[in-house]
Amino acid sequence: MTVYFIGAGPGAADLITVRGARTLARCRVCLYAGSLVPRELLADCPADARLIDTAQLNLDQIVEQLVRAHEAGEDVARLHSGDPSVFSAVAEQMRRLDAAGVPYEVVPGVPAFAAAAAALNRELTVPTVGQTVVLTRIAQQATPMPDGEDLATLGRSRALLVLHLGARYVDRIVDQLLPHYGPDCPAAVVAMASRPDELVLRGTLADIAGQVKAAGVVRTAVILVGRSLGAEQFRDSHLYSTARTRPHGPCAA
């Protein structure tokens, strides 16, 4: 049988993909991160499904449940918040399943940074202003950052930065980015993106840290820094330009 790593989306239950919901509906076992995945999603599981909250389980215990279900001939939904491709701790689970000979598939989900951009009503890549988005985090008590991926280095690009898992360290983030982006650079923080208690803070590097602390935001937040967030005067994209030569016929878009 198969383990399905399913991206549950950023928080709103209706932001799971159609494929994710259909896969969840046929799995007799579901492991989910209880502190992050909305409980409403579990209603998509079969009525007799075995539901396992992984909030208090370590990696060995989680993999043991996955392997046990596989050996019992049951498909397993491993429900992760956001999208499994970034900051999901899926890689080490896959490595363990490879060693155990257990097959798995990945069902992508809506990532938190996309939900944050939607909450801000912003496109993160704006013509002539910014065409690069860097998804990152900062070194803290968890896993250290690899050499060359510190904010001081990444900030030299002046690309739009999206920082996960860093709200409680906002002062440190601002201090490291100020020399590269300047105090007037637009910045935003979206906490609980897409959820009923979503909170959106907009400002600049000069004042965003104060807003975060005043609002009491310490977790489940995405920090965005970059000129694209405030861009108003920019050239239209070439995609729909009147100067672009377009094909004729049924494939023309």
Side-chain angles (χ1 to χ4, degrees):
M1 306 308 289
T2 302
V3 174
Y4 295 93
F5 291 100
I6 303 172
D14 61 351
L15 282 182
I16 191 172
T17 66
V18 173
R19 181 182 297 182
R22 287 175 176 171
T23 304
L24 192 60
R26 67 172 186 265
C27 290
R28 296 294 176 183
V29 179
C30 175
L31 279 73
Y32 66 99
S35 59
L36 297 172
V37 172
R39 296 284 301 183
E40 300 95 307
L41 278 181
L42 302 180
D44 290 335
C45 297
D48 59 347
R50 184 158 56 94
L51 307 179
I52 303 169
D53 186 350
T54 61
Q56 302 302 318
L57 301 184
N58 59 39
L59 177 59
D60 289 338
Q61 292 169 327
I62 291 171
V63 174
E64 180 184 357
Q65 291 287 349
L66 299 177
V67 173
R68 182 185 303 169
H70 167 72
E71 292 175 343
E74 298 172 313
D75 284 334
V76 187
R78 178 66 177 108
L79 202 55
H80 280 268
S81 61
D83 177 77
S85 66
V86 289
F87 306 119
S88 66
V90 162
E92 55 262 43
Q93 296 174 66
M94 291 177 174
R95 181 169 60 187
R96 298 287 186 95
L97 294 181
D98 284 336
V102 176
Y104 54 84
E105 294 182 16
V106 178
V107 180
V110 177
F113 79 88
L120 293 166
N121 287 326
R122 282 291 176 180
E123 180 179 355
L124 302 185
T125 54
V126 177
T128 72
V129 178
Q131 295 286 281
T132 302
V133 177
V134 177
L135 309 178
T136 189
R137 50 176 283 271
I138 64 170
Q140 46 189 337
Q141 296 177 350
T143 310
M145 295 295 287
D147 291 342
E149 293 189 18
D150 55 282
L151 283 188
T153 299
L154 296 177
R156 293 174 193 156
S157 70
R158 297 181 184 173
L160 189 138
L161 291 183
V162 179
L163 292 112
H164 296 70
L165 313 172
R168 67 175 68 243
Y169 307 101
V170 64
D171 282 325
R172 189 193 312 173
I173 290 169
V174 168
D175 288 344
Q176 293 184 49
L177 295 182
L178 273 172
H180 305 289
Y181 291 82
D184 65 336
C185 182
V189 173
V190 181
M192 306 295 180
S194 80
R195 305 182 189 193
D197 54 348
E198 175 184 274
L199 175 66
V200 178
L201 304 175
R202 294 179 174 88
T204 65
L205 277 181
D207 62 21
I208 197 66
Q211 291 190 51
V212 170
K213 287 183 284 188
V217 177
V218 295
R219 62 186 298 272
T220 320
V222 175
I223 301 172
L224 303 94
V225 179
R227 297 289 171 184
S228 298
L229 296 177
E232 297 296 341
Q233 301 299 322
F234 54 88
R235 191 173 69 191
D236 291 342
S237 169
H238 181 66
L239 179 62
Y240 300 116
S241 170
T242 56
R244 180 184 175 196
T245 301
R246 287 176 167 74
H248 298 285
C251 293

